[in-house]
Amino acid sequence: MTGPFPKRQLLNPAAAVLSLLLMGVPAVAALALLWAGAQAPRWAPPALAACFACGALLFYTRVFLPQLRLYRTVAQIKASGGNYRDALYHLIGDTELYQQVGELFDLIRDAIKQEYSALILEKQSELSSLQSQINPHFLYNTLEAIRGKAILEDVPDIANMAEALASLFRYSISRRGDMATLEDELRNLRNYMVVQQYRFNNKFCLRILADEDDALMLAELPRMTLQPVVENAVYHGLETKIGRGTITIRVEETENRILITISDDGVGIAEDKLMRLNALLMLHANAPAPAKDSASGIGIALANVNRRLKLCFGETYGLKVYSTPDVGTDVEVSIPRPARKGEAP
């Protein structure tokens, strides 16, 4: 059924009119006979029949035809695969209602597409995550086996390097969520620098200057925020430097923020490249992901970290870079400071 009419009558207007007549004529005849029995004037039955005919015509034009047109419009939309503009135009013409209904249909269509795209991305992300865990888990277990063998053979350097690398893999593939504590991030950096010290024969050293404050160390930030910044300092600042290099991490807090400054005493960044890099970091979080800046040689690591921080905490947080050629580079990471006990959130 569609409203007061079956589907077959909607598709056949003549059948609907015939149904009305078949139901209405006997009723009119019965009323006419009753009236005739009550000494009614001669003109009364024809007048009653004419009134009924006018009522039937009015019902047909005002009720039945709009419903029929609406039904056929919906059928056309379904048959056209969603091309509703033409069908609506034939139904209501080029009117304000046409514009408003068209915009409503556009919103519904866009919402469906967005939800469908989000679902596809979620499924692809889940699949990629499962696939990416296969090799890391295998490598993690292999490194643990190497570490065990090194301990048995009394080779502490190999055991320590395998343990640090295994910890890096375990942290990178952790399923505990997208957020990590500052304490976890700093622990991961220590393991990363152990591996780099073995790789570069102790050319680099790491200093962490932070209060062992439980509230400070439990502040949360996106997982793998600090390691890409330190990697950037190693490869672009210290690796090409003659002699030893130092990476210093300072953790400070203000009234509303935690500032984590990663400093290196490497080769620094030229002024023009520094300006391009900071301009890149000032882009809105919803701006398209940047391509590699081949001119500056910086890459996209810092830009990606900055974008994650802005998406997580807001546009006022993220990275700032300060550098002096042949002196070194400072990268300041700002995140919200969690409220302490007794403080208003």
Side-chain angles (χ1 to χ4, degrees):
M1 295 285 291
T2 306
F5 294 101
K7 177 180 177 181
R8 61 181 179 83
Q9 289 188 2
L10 279 173
L11 296 178
N12 188 353
V17 175
L18 180 61
S19 297
L20 284 172
L21 293 175
L22 289 176
M23 291 185 293
V25 169
V28 172
L31 289 173
L33 290 175
L34 288 174
W35 203 348
Q39 307 289 321
R42 287 185 174 182
W43 53 264
L48 188 61
C51 289
F52 173 78
C54 290
L57 180 62
L58 185 65
F59 177 84
Y60 176 75
T61 56
R62 295 293 183 180
V63 178
F64 178 79
L65 277 183
Q67 188 176 14
L68 172 64
R69 293 165 65 186
L70 179 61
Y71 177 87
R72 286 179 172 173
T73 298
V74 173
Q76 289 175 9
I77 293 174
K78 291 172 64 176
S80 65
N83 184 15
Y84 48 83
R85 288 283 182 176
D86 291 342
L88 287 174
Y89 183 82
H90 290 300
L91 175 66
I92 55 181
D94 189 10
T95 62
E96 180 67 22
L97 179 61
Y98 166 75
Q99 298 295 335
Q100 294 182 2
V101 174
E103 291 175 2
L104 177 61
F105 272 57
D106 289 340
L107 289 175
I108 295 173
R109 179 197 59 191
D110 293 342
I112 293 174
K113 285 184 177 180
Q114 184 175 1
E115 183 176 355
Y116 183 68
S117 299
L119 181 62
I120 292 177
L121 288 175
E122 182 181 356
K123 294 300 181 183
Q124 289 177 341
S125 177
E126 291 177 2
L127 179 60
S128 299
S129 177
L130 291 173
Q131 291 174 339
S132 66
Q133 291 182 54
I134 297 174
N135 287 338
H137 274 299
F138 171 75
L139 292 173
Y140 168 70
N141 293 331
T142 302
L143 288 168
E144 286 294 322
I146 293 173
R147 175 175 174 269
K149 182 67 173 177
I151 292 175
L152 291 176
E153 298 293 334
D154 194 22
V155 187
D157 286 348
I158 295 178
N160 292 337
M161 184 164 52
E163 181 181 17
L165 192 55
S167 297
L168 283 174
F169 276 117
R170 182 167 58 242
Y171 186 74
S172 66
I173 64 175
S174 172
R175 300 292 291 172
R176 291 182 296 171
D178 295 330
M179 304 297 287
T181 65
L182 179 57
E183 183 179 19
D184 290 337
E185 283 285 287
L186 293 176
R187 183 185 303 113
N188 184 63
L189 286 184
R190 292 187 179 96
N191 290 322
Y192 171 77
M193 288 305 296
V194 167
V195 175
Q196 293 292 35
Q197 284 171 340
Y198 279 111
R199 180 186 174 195
F200 291 98
N201 194 24
N202 292 319
K203 181 179 179 180
F204 315 130
C205 67
L206 174 68
R207 293 193 307 159
I208 297 179
L209 307 177
D211 294 334
E212 296 299 327
D213 186 329
D214 290 342
L216 190 64
M217 290 294 106
L218 291 179
E220 291 191 336
L221 65 167
R223 185 179 299 276
M224 298 295 289
T225 292
L226 301 183
Q227 182 179 321
V229 181
V230 174
E231 285 185 32
N232 192 78
V234 169
Y235 293 125
H236 296 289
L238 299 179
E239 190 171 341
T240 58
K241 176 186 176 180
I242 298 174
R244 292 174 56 82
T246 301
I247 293 178
T248 303
I249 299 178
R250 295 181 179 84
V251 181
E252 304 167 307
E253 59 178 323
T254 66
E255 184 179 355
N256 299 314
R257 297 171 181 264
I258 294 177
L259 301 178
I260 309 162
T261 306
I262 296 99
S263 304
D264 68 74
D265 56 359
V267 298
I269 305 173
E271 184 177 356
D272 60 329
K273 295 180 181 179
L274 181 63
M275 291 179 60
R276 289 202 300 270
L277 176 59
N278 278 315
L280 187 65
L281 297 178
M282 291 181 66
L283 291 176
H284 194 277
N286 292 325
K292 182 175 180 179
D293 186 353
S294 58
S296 67
I298 297 300
I300 62 173
L302 296 184
N304 285 340
V305 170
N306 180 68
R307 190 163 180 259
R308 290 174 63 206
L309 290 171
K310 288 181 181 294
L311 288 172
C312 187
F313 300 126
E315 292 294 328
T316 59
Y317 298 95
L319 304 185
K320 292 182 180 178
V321 182
Y322 311 89
S323 185
T324 303
D326 300 322
V327 175
T329 301
D330 298 333
V331 179
E332 183 183 87
V333 181
S334 63
I335 62 174
R337 183 178 76 86
R340 296 178 181 273
K341 289 184 179 179
E343 292 182 344

